Amino acid sequence: MTKTVDAATMRQINKKYVTEIIYNQGPLSRIDISQITGLNKATVSSLVDDLIADDFVNEIGFGTSNGGRKPVLLQLNASAGYCIGVDIQITHMTTVLTDMSGSIIYKSIRPIDCADGGLTQTELEEILIDEMNHAAVKAPPSRHSIIGAGIALPGIVNFSTGSVFYLPNIEIRDWDICGALTKHFPFPIFIDNDGNCGAWSEYRLRQINNLVFVNVGIGVGTGIVVNGQLYRGAHGIAGEFGHMTISAMGLLCACGNYGCWEQYASEQALLRYLQEEEEEVSEALKLSPNLVSVAVARAIEKPSYKRAFQVLGQYLGIGISNIVNALNPELVVIGGTMALGAEYFLPEVQSALRNRSMASNKYVPIAIAHGDTIVSGAAQLPISNTILQSPLSAT
């Protein structure tokens, strides 16, 4: 059955499309937008006038003329509104307030202990509300105030319904997190898997249409961008490569499977490799967001720490080789807390890629993400799902 779209709905669709073009590619002119979108110049001018009136877009000066009048350049108004982003990991919670361009104007890192049910769902919810309240009061006055909040979670979530199915290392199931938080905040709230948030953040930064983001912390998660769209799969849970089997008779994982990749290429694996090197690691440090940074500092003088990172790199490389053979991306980006140790494990990852991948996959570049990649991606969720056409909802 063919659906008809009335003029008002089509205008709203086109308005979001134009906003997205300016958001991703600005500064650019009305003529540039017309050429990119295929919309006629009069329609583009009318839509841009609406966006300027709404304070979402500013005219910032003149571009270069190819003859005739110089075109007026348009750019997203970064201070039109603000977004809250939260990244919940096993050992810590990072909360930011960003403007619409993604620039961080407030940041908080709060140590927590979620391992093996260390925090109940209610306790985690209370901490989350507290951190979001602290971020909200930091927002400067603006036309649109706080546009919304985005939350990155380390597990299987339902992006569409705003609920958690299962957070393996936190042991929380069936959590209507958006429903619970909406009772406390006047703005919309969105959630996504942390790997997806990292992948979209890297895509926005690099504008590479086919990439994989590998988030390495207590566990391992991935996000996949295909043809400029976030890939979710049939039921929204694509990218759980951390739970692919790389050892048939391997270690028991929190998910119930044996030999999962994250048991060999994560912080918990690094701890095990250090202990196999007869290194003592304090209980406090085991559950600390500073574990990897401390290990990096000690690796400068202690060969045993270097060897632990190298073993981890070998297994990380095995998993990444499997991924590139399956997906043939243009780029793989490694993020999460483990990224701090890249100088010690990256050569092993690249060696595994050359030895285990096929054809051009051997030469897929590996990049290291900056520390705020995931939380920045979370902060982009409200913009992508309110004022843009929401490529984040793609399957």
Side-chain angles (χ1 to χ4, degrees), residues 86-107:
V86 184
D87 175 21
I88 299 176
Q89 296 298 318
I90 313 302
T91 59
H92 61 286
M93 180 185 297
T94 304
T95 306
V96 299
L97 181 75
T98 73
D99 64 19
M100 289 188 61
S101 72
S103 296
I104 295 174
I105 59 176
Y106 164 82
K107 179 179 176 180

Side-chain angles (χ1 to χ4, degrees), residues 56-247:
F56 281 125
V57 169
N58 286 336
E59 294 180 332
I60 61 168
F62 295 98
T64 303
S65 172
N66 293 320
R69 291 184 301 177
K70 292 182 178 181
V72 177
L73 296 179
L74 305 163
Q75 185 168 279
L76 185 79
N77 178 11
S79 60
Y82 297 87
C83 298
I84 295 172
V86 184
D87 175 21
I88 299 176
Q89 296 298 318
I90 313 302
T91 59
H92 61 286
M93 180 185 297
T94 304
T95 306
V96 299
L97 181 75
T98 73
D99 64 19
M100 289 188 61
S101 72
S103 296
I104 295 174
I105 59 176
Y106 164 82
K107 179 179 176 180
S108 167
I109 300 177
R110 180 167 176 167
I112 56 177
D113 178 8
C114 290
D116 301 321
L119 285 176
T120 66
Q121 176 182 307
T122 300
E123 289 170 335
L124 184 56
E125 203 171 284
E126 289 173 351
I127 293 172
L128 186 53
I129 291 168
D130 187 50
E131 289 297 301
M132 289 173 64
N133 274 322
H134 279 103
V137 300
K138 299 293 184 180
S142 63
R143 171 76 176 273
H144 297 283
S145 188
I146 294 179
I147 294 170
I151 302 168
L153 293 153
I156 302 173
V157 304
N158 189 321
F159 168 85
S160 300
T161 65
S163 59
V164 167
F165 174 67
Y166 181 41
L167 306 181
N169 293 298
I170 300 179
E171 291 303 320
I172 289 179
R173 299 174 184 268
D174 303 320
W175 179 16
D176 181 13
I177 179 172
C178 286
L181 295 178
T182 299
K183 299 174 184 176
H184 298 271
F185 299 100
F187 43 78
I189 296 169
F190 304 92
I191 65 168
D192 209 339
N193 171 269
D194 53 4
N196 287 343
C197 289
W200 192 251
S201 183
E202 287 295 323
Y203 168 73
R204 286 267 301 123
L205 175 68
R206 303 172 189 273
Q207 293 296 301
I208 291 177
N209 285 335
N210 297 279
L211 66 80
V212 175
F213 175 76
V214 183
N215 180 36
V216 187
I218 294 289
V220 177
T222 60
I224 307 164
V225 175
V226 177
N227 294 330
Q229 301 286 314
L230 194 64
Y231 181 74
R232 297 184 181 281
H235 303 101
I237 59 173
E240 288 295 332
F241 283 108
H243 297 285
M244 67 178 169
T245 302
I246 65 168
S247 176

